[in-house]
């Protein structure tokens, strides 16, 4: 639904805002929030794994010691120290002066886009990519140069090279190196190296969205930022490893960019969210995060294995799917005869199961017969119940 239609009588919207549509994901949220639905749709962490008690204690500590925690305040230096330690666990050596605190990865990408992208400029990204990033680009109306993604090795880096060789100079290249959303692939080591070489050779920065990077189930690879301090702008978040409602994340950039970023952020939300930053900081002071991340890797790994097993046991042979090393999703390719919108409707109505049709992530609105399934939010029991139900619709109606 166009969001402008209800406003037209009162206000003349900016050109790009007139074309705004409710995202497929927002529509899904409404459709799948009905009681009784088993949802494999949204990429939410599991509520039962949030360290609510520890966060409650951290909040109480923060507020009992200092009512000033409720005041406007600059970014919390001690949290930057914690982030620096966390980045070391990710194989990245950075300085506190290079860390910029944000209200989550989404804001990190939004601020970097405002910093780097001219209206009508260009960016390179994959054709199937996190829709939240596409929304970030909307106001700039950029020329989005897309490349494909290999199911085993990730982004087509040769195609990136072709663009650059033929003269394209995008404001940045967007990469989800680990735990790709929606494709769940990770970029191979050799492609990581090559992509960073290209960024350096052509002086084009890479915005690396590492929202899922701490949740790898197999041996983690160091992110692109470990290969280049100058040309990789790293975006991190506590949303998936602690809790998204805290709205705390960070960016790692060359230090000369921290000041302009702080000016842009100030114009956006003053200094959101200082209280959350203090709560996360107090939680991190207790030293519990490494064990929390280990627990999440084990538990989400279990859910991933349960989903892969359920798919193997129930889905028809003509379907194929990825085995995610990292992140929250399984990407399933169905035969081209399957109409995934129809499958979505039937699955919701007949079997009360939800997923996201793959084309919701297509930059060029390309139709496809793929679907994205989330395994982090449903319990193993719900996965074991939901996948056979989805398979039933698939076999009964559409095969
Ligand atoms: C790839 C990717 N990047 C960024 C985000 C946004 O994360 P945050 O809650 O930190 O803003 C998400 C959320 O699902 C995501 O999937």
């Amino acid at each position: 639904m166009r969001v402008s239609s209800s406003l037209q009588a009162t206000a003349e919207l900016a050109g790009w805002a007139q074309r705004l549509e409710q995202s497929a994901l927002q529509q899904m949220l409404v459709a799948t929030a009905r009681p009784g639905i088993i949802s494999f749709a949204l990429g939410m962490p599991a509520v039962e794994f949030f360290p609510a008690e520890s966060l409650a204690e951290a909040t109480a500590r923060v507020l009992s010691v200092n009512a000033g925690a409720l005041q406007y305040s600059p970014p919390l230096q001690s949290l930057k120290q914690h982030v620096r330690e966390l980045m070391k666990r990710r194989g990245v050596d950075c300085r506190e002066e290079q860390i910029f605190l944000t209200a989550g990865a989404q804001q990190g990408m939004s601020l970097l886009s405002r910093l780097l992208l001219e209206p009508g400029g260009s960016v390179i990204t994959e054709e199937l990519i996190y829709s939240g990033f596409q929304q970030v680009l909307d106001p700039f109306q950029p020329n989005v140069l897309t490349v494909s993604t290999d199911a085993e090795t990730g982004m087509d880096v040769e195609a990136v090279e072709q663009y650059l060789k033929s003269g394209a100079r995008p404001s940045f290249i967007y990469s989800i190196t680990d735990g790709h959303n929606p494709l769940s692939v990770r970029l191979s080591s050799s492609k990581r190296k090559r992509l960073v070489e290209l960024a350096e050779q052509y002086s084009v920065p890479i915005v690396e969205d590492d929202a899922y990077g701490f949740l790898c189930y197999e041996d983690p690879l160091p992110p692109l930022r470990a290969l280049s301090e100058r040309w990789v702008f790293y975006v991190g978040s506590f949303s998936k490893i602690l809790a998204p409602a805290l709205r705390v994340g960070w960016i790692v950039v060359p230090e000369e960019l921290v000041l302009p970023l702080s000016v842009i952020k100030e114009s956006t939300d003053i200094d959101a969210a200082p209280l959350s930053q203090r709560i996360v900081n107090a939680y991190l002071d207790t030293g519990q995060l490494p064990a929390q991340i280990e627990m999440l890797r084990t538990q989400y790994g279990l859910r991933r294995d349960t989903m892969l097993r359920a798919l193997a046991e129930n889905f028809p042979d003509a379907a194929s799917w990825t085995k995610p090393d990292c992140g929250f999703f399984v990407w399933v390719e169905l035969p081209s005869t399957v109409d995934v919108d129809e499958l979505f409707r039937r699955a919701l109505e007949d079997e009360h199961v939800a997923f996201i049709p793959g084309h919701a992530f297509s930059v060029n609105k390309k139709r496809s017969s793929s679907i994205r399934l989330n395994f982090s939010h449903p319990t193993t029991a719900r996965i074991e119940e939901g996948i056979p139900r989805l398979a039933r619709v698939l076999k009964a109606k559409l095969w």
Side-chain angles (χ1 to χ4, degrees):
M1 187 185 87
R2 280 266 159 99
V3 291
S4 61
S5 50
S6 57
L7 289 171
Q8 259 160 9
T10 53
E12 183 68 27
L13 304 189
W16 72 272
Q18 286 177 24
R19 289 183 288 278
L20 276 178
E21 291 184 12
Q22 198 181 28
S23 72
L25 265 56
Q26 285 170 329
Q27 292 172 37
M28 300 295 162
L29 190 57
V30 176
T32 60
R34 299 197 322 240
I37 301 283
I38 297 183
S39 180
F40 302 125
L42 298 173
M44 293 196 288
V47 174
E48 57 275 25
F49 301 152
F50 292 145
E53 233 172 80
S54 301
L55 287 170
E57 286 163 14
T59 309
R61 272 199 306 282
V62 165
L63 290 174
S64 61
V65 170
N66 179 12
L70 293 165
Q71 185 58 281
Y72 291 112
S73 44
L76 196 61
Q77 201 56 36
S78 47
L79 181 55
K80 293 188 183 183
Q81 286 162 14
H82 279 302
V83 169
R84 180 165 182 257
E85 291 306 311
L86 203 52
M87 291 302 297
K88 276 194 198 151
R89 288 174 57 89
R90 199 69 188 94
V92 172
D93 210 1
C94 62
R95 296 183 292 284
E96 280 159 44
E97 300 75 45
Q98 299 173 321
I99 295 167
F100 181 81
L101 299 176
T102 66
Q106 188 70 21
Q107 187 183 57
M109 292 183 294
S110 173
L111 296 175
L112 285 171
S113 297
R114 287 178 66 188
L115 182 71
L116 300 169
L117 187 54
E118 292 286 354
S122 67
V123 298
I124 295 182
T125 178
E126 288 149 285
E127 165 27 48
L128 285 161
I129 203 69
Y130 170 54
S131 47
F133 172 66
Q134 298 182 43
Q135 287 181 314
V136 163
L137 295 182
D138 273 350
F140 302 94
Q141 300 283 287
N143 182 15
V144 185
L145 307 172
T146 56
V147 300
S148 62
T149 309
D150 181 86
E152 300 287 324
T153 58
M155 182 182 222
D156 183 348
V157 174
E158 276 180 28
V160 173
E161 182 169 10
Q162 282 314 313
Y163 277 126
L164 297 172
K165 257 190 180 159
S166 58
R169 288 297 173 271
S171 299
F172 62 89
I173 301 163
Y174 175 68
S175 165
I176 308 179
T177 323
D178 288 293
H180 193 286
N181 181 4
L183 297 169
S184 79
V185 60
R186 66 162 144 183
L187 196 66
S188 68
S189 294
S190 56
K191 283 187 173 180
R192 284 175 202 235
K193 202 163 155 275
R194 185 68 193 130
L195 190 60
V196 171
E197 280 168 5
L198 290 172
E200 287 176 346
Q201 184 183 343
Y202 290 93
S203 306
V204 173
I206 299 168
V207 171
E208 179 175 37
D209 179 354
D210 201 38
Y212 299 93
F214 289 89
L215 296 175
C216 282
Y217 313 112
E218 316 292 332
D219 297 336
L221 291 173
L224 300 175
R225 175 57 180 73
L227 301 176
S228 173
E229 182 172 326
R230 175 92 187 80
W231 291 105
V232 180
F233 303 167
Y234 176 100
V235 178
S237 176
F238 287 102
S239 286
K240 313 296 183 188
I241 52 176
L242 259 186
L246 291 164
R247 306 311 303 145
V248 182
W250 67 95
I251 310 176
V252 183
V253 282
E255 51 207 73
E256 63 272 20
L257 299 185
V258 166
L259 180 64
L261 279 169
S262 70
V263 176
I264 299 173
K265 180 159 158 57
E266 192 178 14
S267 75
T268 311
D269 61 10
I270 317 282
D271 269 317
L275 179 58
S276 279
Q277 287 179 14
R278 283 180 164 70
I279 294 168
V280 172
N281 185 64
Y283 172 85
L284 295 178
D285 281 346
T286 66
Q288 294 176 67
L289 187 66
Q292 168 74 7
I293 293 176
E294 265 330 293
M295 181 276 289
L296 292 174
R297 284 171 57 171
T298 306
Q299 294 299 330
Y300 289 143
L302 211 60
R303 290 181 182 200
R304 172 198 68 162
D305 293 343
T306 304
M307 179 167 278
L308 293 174
R309 202 168 42 246
L311 287 167
E313 284 168 4
N314 295 281
F315 265 40
D317 288 343
S320 61
W321 49 88
T322 53
K323 179 175 185 273
D325 303 298
C326 198
F328 280 4
F329 308 106
V330 175
W331 181 258
V332 183
E333 298 279 358
L334 300 169
S336 55
T337 47
V338 176
D339 175 344
V340 285
D341 291 322
E342 179 61 7
L343 180 68
F344 176 79
R345 276 189 291 276
R346 295 274 174 84
L348 204 55
E349 290 314 312
D350 301 350
E351 294 285 355
H352 306 273
V353 178
F355 59 86
I356 302 224
H359 58 74
F361 303 94
S362 164
V363 171
N364 296 310
K365 311 272 179 277
K366 279 193 194 154
R367 308 290 308 168
S368 73
S369 44
S370 31
I371 63 175
R372 189 194 77 173
L373 298 174
N374 165 264
F375 59 79
S376 60
H377 192 253
T379 60
T380 49
R382 301 279 279 175
I383 293 170
E384 280 166 348
E385 191 186 338
I387 294 296
R389 286 207 221 163
L390 184 54
R392 216 152 45 218
V393 189
L394 196 54
K395 287 174 181 162
K397 314 269 183 174
L398 300 160
W399 216 253

